[in-house]
């Protein structure tokens, strides 16, 4: 599967009422930010070409002796005089693990907010979205090593803990993708979705190895590359002393002379990353941080839809829809 | 220019070098650009331009100037030349020496203390100073004026002032300290305003020299000194008062008469009922006093023996600071009217001379045919209105039937003691009666005409000739259809009704008038008559009928009552208002008022008031001779009938060609309150008291100089100017820097 690099031009969809990231970032509360995006996304769904696309997590199953009577739906019994078991999410639910880059290079941004802010909001948005669908969400934050780890769960208070971890100020230094991914691979025992949010502005050596390890464990991996427009276009006017955010190294650069060289090298890096993703069958979404977050959410949904859902669940969902509750 | 805090200037200079240093130390690259990663970048050759010279001179100068001004501001600058000028000028003093000569200064050695204090103040006056001397008790005198001081040669001034002091002596009058202080302050102020200041002085002082104005008040500062007027006076800020207080440790008690009641038949009887006020001063140490009558000096020769025998002194106990009213001891047979207080140290206020007022006898002439003892007549009520003869005035009502054959017309001498003539007859009086009465009214008598009916004519003869015609005042009987009339519109400002103006007494609605005469005045009469009271029968738009009319005639007046007070006509006779009204009528017509007989020492007597009537006229042409208690006789010319009772307490005899008046003069009651008054009391009234200046030591001089510098600085407040200038420059700097920055930006953008 291939993904087109996201255009850095203003997206046509933003005219559909999606929220400008600069406006969104003014909301200080991370959870509130996520909620705004997700709810805006839901309301946007009505006009969406993918109308009807939704994940049915709860369903009814005819009671058979041996089932836990705690899960009997008594209201349905009252209506239909039949025993049905209310099937819970944990049986069918997906586990999504968010891996968010907190390195110092993410602390760069020319739009009034940084890539890290955007990445945090993206992570929070996904977590909140998953939470609304009763999916379990986990979190790993990293810079050159794992900062925090929160296993994927769906339980009261979990989302809040996740938000708190996401909202922690970044203390990272350099970006190293291999070591954190190695740790994540070790920690994630159950199969699920791994969403990696980073700028991937680091040497890619070893990354393919780790991603392959994840994929081989039948994890579904989605890469979100958040980039600042300045990184994408390198439109600086004045010659200046450029300082590396991670190493502090200083370099006198005249943008006019080095711009083309920069763009060439950057494209090569992006190409390498894309090839790597393609090889492993991983979805890579490059997002300029001036693009609406709903778009990233949409990309994620699209990726999920493309992959399809387990046939078992879909069959069950359809049978439940025509089921006795008249719940369609 | 110098600075209060010069170290700020040093710090400011150091601060100025900072912008220069910053300018040179500026890094060449315009800025540091943080970037997420340098992994795609290669270094490009730097194009550094070294700057070793100042780029923006105006901006640098502006900033340096701002810092310099701030440094000067904090340094608190001042012009010291002014200070030098102030210090160089010698301070001259213009002094008013105010010496208390009131009666209380007679105590102990107060007067000699005061004289030595005053002499000291005089000798303290330097060649640049000016001095005037004022003495005060009840009035203010100027033994030495500023003008006289200035005109005297400098070496003779001191002697002149000492001579002026020598002419003073303690008097007998009350202490009006407020008037004296105000007069002295005004004198000092006037010396400035009038241009008769130091500039014209023979020995000129350097220009700019300040003149210190002060009042040196030499007094015993007694509690009884009057200071109330100071409350109304705004004390000038430039005048200090230095109080030189003299004191004596003696005890004092004073004796003063209360208002002597003249309701007894004889002066002796009055004295028997005399009550006196004995006050013991707050600082007194004695409490036991004796009161005894003493014969007057003039009567001593003949009556002393009997007086001494008959006098039995009254002993009284009065704690310090208290005042008691006590009954005077029984009067001895001799009838001397000098009461003596024994038992205190100071004799000046221990005598009380009493001259009981003479009982006044006046007559009321009632021209009427009324029989005696008929309760339906005017006479019955009029006679009973003056029944009580126990007051200060004995009024006798004489009823005369003028038309009777036996009655003769009165002569002016017959009418001399008549205060009121009530004319209640109907027919016109005989001509000789009319002539006598009109001339009597012209001289100040009061005639009351009660109109018995509408056809009465007797009263018209008292009117001026141009109003005597019946067309001027038309009389008719009142409307009988109405049950009664009330006195509706009363002018309480009129003397007849003034005593009843109080709301407690001004209710006339209980006096019903059954019948009255309606008097219709034409314009000529209406102009001359006053209507103090009207009836209430006028209605809403018209005035009621006049009830009382009054016409001024010569010095006297004619009053018309359009109704009678007998019960047949009205209830006035039986109302409580009747006696006050007729008493006021007597008062209005009383031409001989008994002269006051008791005075305070130092008071000014208007001798013309002592005589009245014909005697007044005679005295006014020939003048008076006054015999003071010390036996000295002073003639007073007729054209200036004022005399100051300055010769101390005692009985003064005022002789005029027509009679002899004796007046008793006593020390003012306030003079006995000799306890010292705190200077705070004067300070509370706004008087600026001079502070004692300590001797000048080098430290004190240095400290004072520092204080002066600080004061000068705070007065000049140059730092405000510097701060304002710094703020102004800051604005200019902001504007200039902004403009050049914008220009730079435009250049770089293009």
């Amino acid at each position: 599967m291939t993904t087109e690099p996201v255009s850095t031009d203003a997206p046509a969809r933003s005219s559909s009422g999606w929220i400008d990231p600069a406006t969104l970032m003014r909301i200080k509360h991370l959870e509130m930010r996520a909620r705004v995006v997700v709810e805006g996304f839901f309301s946007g769904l009505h006009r969406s070409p993918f109308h009807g696309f939704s994940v049915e997590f709860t369903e009814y199953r005819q009671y058979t002796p041996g089932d836990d009577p705690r899960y009997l739906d008594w209201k349905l019994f009252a209506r239909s005089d039949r025993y049905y078991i209310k099937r819970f999410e944990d049986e069918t639910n997906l586990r999504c693990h968010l891996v968010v880059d907190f390195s110092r290079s993410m602390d760069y941004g020319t739009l009034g907010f940084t890539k890290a802010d955007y990445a945090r909001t993206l992570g929070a948005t996904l977590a909140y979205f998953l939470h609304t669908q009763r999916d379990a969400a986990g979190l790993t934050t990293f810079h050159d090593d794992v900062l925090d780890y929160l296993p994927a769960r769906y339980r009261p208070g979990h989302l809040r803990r996740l938000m708190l971890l996401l909202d922690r100020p970044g203390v990272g230094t350099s970006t190293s993708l291999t070591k954190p991914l190695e740790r994540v691979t070790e920690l994630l025992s159950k199969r699920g979705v791994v969403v990696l949010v980073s700028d991937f502005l680091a040497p890619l050596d070893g990354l393919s190895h780790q991603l392959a390890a994840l994929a081989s464990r039948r994890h579904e991996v989605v890469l979100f590359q958040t980039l600042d427009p300045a990184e994408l276009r390198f439109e600086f006017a004045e010659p200046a002393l450029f300082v590396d955010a991670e190493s502090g190294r200083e370099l006198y650069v005249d943008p006019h002379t080095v711009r083309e060289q920069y763009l060439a090298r950057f494209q090569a890096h992006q190409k390498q990353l894309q090839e790597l993703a393609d090889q492993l069958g991983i979805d890579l979404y490059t997002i300029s941080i001036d693009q609406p977050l709903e778009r990233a959410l949409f990309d994620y949904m699209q990726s999920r839809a493309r992959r399809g859902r387990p046939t078992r669940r879909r069959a069950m969902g359809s049978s439940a829809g025509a089921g006795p509750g008249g719940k369609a | 220019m110098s600075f209060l805090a010069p170290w700020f200037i040093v710090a400011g200079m150091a601060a100025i070098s900072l912008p220069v240093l910053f300018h040179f130390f500026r890094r060449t690259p315009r800025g540091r650009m943080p970037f997420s990663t340098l992994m795609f970048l290669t270094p490009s050759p730097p194009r550094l331009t070294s700057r070793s010279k100042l780029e923006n001179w105006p901006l640098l100068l502006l900033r340096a100037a701002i810092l310099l001004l701030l440094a000067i501001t904090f340094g608190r600058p001042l012009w010291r030349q002014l200070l030098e000028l102030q210090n160089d000028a010698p301070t001259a003093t213009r002094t008013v020496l105010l010496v208390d000569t009131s009666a209380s200064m007679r105590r102990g050695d107060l007067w000699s203390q005061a004289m030595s204090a005053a002499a000291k103040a005089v000798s303290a006056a330097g060649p640049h100073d000016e001095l005037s001397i004022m003495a005060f008790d009840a009035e203010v005198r100027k033994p030495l004026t500023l003008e006289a001081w200035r005109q005297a040669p400098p070496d003779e001034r001191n002697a002149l002032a000492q001579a002026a002091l020598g002419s003073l002596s303690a008097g007998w009058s009350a202490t009006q300290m407020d008037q004296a202080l105000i007069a002295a302050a005004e004198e000092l102020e006037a010396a400035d305003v009038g241009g008769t200041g130091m500039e014209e002085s023979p020995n000129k002082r350097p220009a700019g020299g300040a003149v210190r104005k002060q009042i040196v008040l030499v007094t015993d500062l007694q509690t009884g000194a009057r200071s109330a007027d100071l409350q109304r006076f705004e004390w000038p800020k430039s005048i200090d008062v230095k109080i030189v207080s003299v004191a004596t440790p003696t005890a004092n008690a004073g004796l003063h008469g209360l208002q002597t009641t003249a309701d007894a038949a004889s002066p002796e009887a009055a004295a028997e009922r005399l009550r006196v006020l004995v006050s013991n001063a707050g600082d007194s140490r004695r409490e036991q006093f004796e009161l005894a009558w003493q014969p007057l000096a003039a009567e001593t020769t003949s009556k002393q023996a009997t007086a001494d025998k008959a006098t039995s002194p009254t002993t009284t106990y009065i704690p310090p600071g208290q005042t008691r009213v006590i009954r005077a001891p029984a009067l001895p047979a001799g009838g001397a009217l000098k009461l003596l207080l024994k038992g205190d140290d100071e004799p000046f206020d221990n005598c009380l001379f009493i001259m009981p007022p003479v009982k006044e006898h006046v007559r009321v002439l009632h021209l009427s045919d009324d029989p005696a003892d008929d309760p339906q007549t005017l006479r019955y009520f009029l006679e009973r209105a003056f029944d009580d003869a126990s007051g200060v005035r004995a009024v006798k009502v004489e009823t005369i039937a003028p038309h009777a054959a036996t009655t003769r017309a009165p002569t002016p001498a017959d009418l001399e003691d008549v205060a009121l003539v009530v004319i209640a007859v109907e027919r016109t009086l005989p001509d000789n009666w009319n002539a006598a009465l009109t001339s009597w009214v012209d001289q100040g008598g009061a005639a009351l005409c009660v109109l018995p009916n509408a056809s009465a004519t007797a009263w018209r003869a008292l009117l001026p000739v141009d109003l005597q015609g019946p067309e001027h005042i038309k009389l008719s009987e009142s409307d009988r259809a109405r049950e009664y009339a009330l006195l509706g519109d009363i002018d309480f400002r009129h003397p007849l009704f003034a005593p009843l103006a109080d709301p407690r007494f001004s209710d006339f609605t209980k006096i019903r008038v059954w019948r009255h005469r309606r008097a219709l005045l034409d314009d000529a009469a209406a102009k001359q008559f006053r209507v103090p009271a009207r009836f209430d029968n006028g209605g809403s738009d018209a005035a009621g009928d006049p009830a009382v009319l009054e016409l001024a005639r010569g010095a006297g007046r004619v009053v018309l009552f359009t109704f009678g007070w007998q019960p047949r006509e009205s209830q006035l006779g039986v109302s409580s208002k009747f006696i006050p009204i007729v008493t006021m009528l007597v008062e209005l017509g009383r031409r001989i008022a008994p002269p006051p007989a008791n005075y305070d020492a130092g008071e000014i007597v208007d001798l013309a008031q002592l005589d009245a009537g014909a005697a007044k006229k005679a005295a006014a042409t020939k003048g008076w001779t006054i015999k003071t208690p010390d036996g000295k006789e002073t003639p007073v010319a007729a054209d200036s009938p004022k005399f100051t009772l300055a010769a101390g307490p005692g009985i003064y005899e005022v002789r005029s060609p027509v009679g002899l008046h004796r007046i008793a003069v006593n020390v003012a009651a306030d003079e006995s309150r000799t306890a010292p008054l705190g200077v705070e009391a004067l300070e509370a009234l706004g008087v600026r008291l001079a502070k004692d200046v300590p001797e000048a030591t080098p430290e004190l001089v240095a400290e004072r100089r520092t204080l002066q510098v600080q004061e000068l600085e705070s007065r000049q407040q140059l730092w405000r100017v510097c701060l304002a200038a710094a703020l102004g420059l800051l604005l200019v700097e902001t504007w200039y820097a902004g403009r050049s920055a914008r220009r730079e930006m435009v250049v770089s953008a293009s």
Side-chain angles (χ1 to χ4, degrees), chain A residues 2-293:
Chain A
T2 55
T3 34
E4 289 173 11
V6 174
S7 162
T8 54
D9 295 329
R13 276 192 202 138
S14 66
S15 60
S16 66
W18 287 350
I19 301 162
D20 175 43
T23 315
L24 182 71
M25 293 302 167
R26 286 196 198 153
I27 303 174
K28 289 277 176 260
H29 197 238
L30 184 64
E31 188 174 339
M32 180 65 75
R33 250 187 271 162
R35 186 178 297 178
V36 166
V37 175
V38 172
E39 282 169 3
F41 179 75
F42 278 156
S43 65
L45 279 182
H46 294 294
R47 291 193 298 273
S48 161
F50 300 96
H51 189 75
F53 168 76
S54 173
V55 187
E56 191 66 57
F57 288 105
T58 50
E59 56 191 350
Y60 292 101
R61 182 171 63 78
Q62 193 92 40
Y63 173 75
T64 49
D67 283 342
D68 192 344
R70 280 190 296 174
Y71 302 119
L72 277 173
D73 190 336
W74 296 108
K75 283 182 184 170
L76 190 59
F77 171 73
R79 286 202 296 273
S80 62
D81 202 17
R82 282 170 182 76
Y83 294 112
Y84 276 91
I85 291 288
K86 214 175 179 181
R87 304 266 324 245
F88 280 97
E89 299 80 357
D90 53 354
E91 286 183 45
T92 62
N93 213 345
L94 94 154
R95 316 176 146 269
C96 179
H97 201 83
L98 303 165
V99 183
V100 182
D101 183 2
F102 266 27
S103 70
R104 209 171 274 174
S105 66
M106 291 289 282
D107 271 342
Y108 179 74
T110 55
L111 300 173
F113 56 92
T114 61
K115 292 186 287 181
D117 290 335
Y118 195 90
R120 281 188 178 110
T121 315
L122 176 58
T125 305
L126 290 175
Y128 186 81
F129 175 73
L130 292 166
H131 184 79
T132 55
Q133 308 209 91
R134 308 192 180 185
D135 285 340
L139 176 71
T140 299
T141 57
F142 70 96
H143 43 101
D144 53 349
D145 201 350
V146 171
L147 269 175
D148 290 301
Y149 171 75
L150 192 67
R153 285 205 182 102
Y154 175 76
R155 61 169 68 153
H158 184 75
L159 182 69
R160 183 160 175 72
R161 282 180 64 198
L162 193 146
M163 294 288 178
L164 280 175
L165 286 182
L166 264 181
D167 215 6
R168 255 163 68 153
V171 288
T173 50
S174 59
T175 316
S176 168
L177 293 167
T178 47
K179 203 173 168 188
L181 284 179
E182 194 182 321
R183 291 273 297 144
V184 169
T185 314
E186 288 168 14
L187 287 167
L188 296 183
S189 53
K190 285 191 180 175
R191 192 174 62 89
V193 182
V194 176
V195 177
L196 177 58
V197 185
S198 172
D199 52 3
F200 295 101
L201 292 180
L204 300 174
D205 320 326
L207 181 66
S208 64
H209 180 71
Q210 291 305 328
L211 289 176
L214 273 175
S216 67
R217 294 196 172 208
R218 303 190 65 192
H219 286 298
E220 200 180 301
V221 182
V222 182
L223 304 183
F224 279 102
Q225 186 186 24
T226 55
L227 288 172
D228 191 84
E231 291 165 338
L232 287 165
R233 295 191 281 267
F234 203 71
E235 287 171 336
F236 295 99
E238 292 267 317
L241 210 55
F242 278 68
V243 184
D244 193 302
E246 292 186 347
S247 63
R249 194 162 65 94
E250 291 183 355
L251 200 65
Y252 185 78
V253 170
D254 190 349
H256 295 292
T257 52
V258 300
R259 182 165 187 258
E260 290 193 0
Q261 192 187 15
Y262 170 88
L263 289 179
R265 286 181 168 203
F266 180 73
Q267 293 301 342
H269 177 82
Q270 288 295 92
K271 195 179 169 196
Q272 189 189 350
L273 185 64
Q274 187 64 56
E275 280 171 358
L276 195 148
D278 289 348
Q279 278 171 15
L280 296 171
I282 292 171
D283 288 346
L284 168 68
Y285 299 101
T286 301
I287 303 170
S288 174
I289 61 169
D290 56 356
Q291 290 186 339
L293 271 158

Side-chain angles (χ1 to χ4, degrees), chain B residues 188 218 387 577 698 702:
Chain B
L188 281 174
V218 181
D387 248 0
K577 311 280 190 282

Side-chain angles (χ1 to χ4, degrees), chain B residues 39 91 133 203 255 290 310 315 320 400 465 616 728 738 740:
Chain B
M39 61 187 284
T91 314
I133 299 176
N203 39 359
L255 175 66
E290 270 185 10
T315 307
I400 298 171
V465 181
K616 187 175 179 175
S740 48

Side-chain angles (χ1 to χ4, degrees), chain B residues 364-368 370 378-379 382 397-401 422 424:
Chain B
V364 171
L365 223 53
H366 183 210
L367 306 186
S368 160
D370 289 343
L378 294 173
R379 178 181 175 179
L382 192 64
V397 180
E398 281 179 27
T399 305
I400 298 171
V422 181

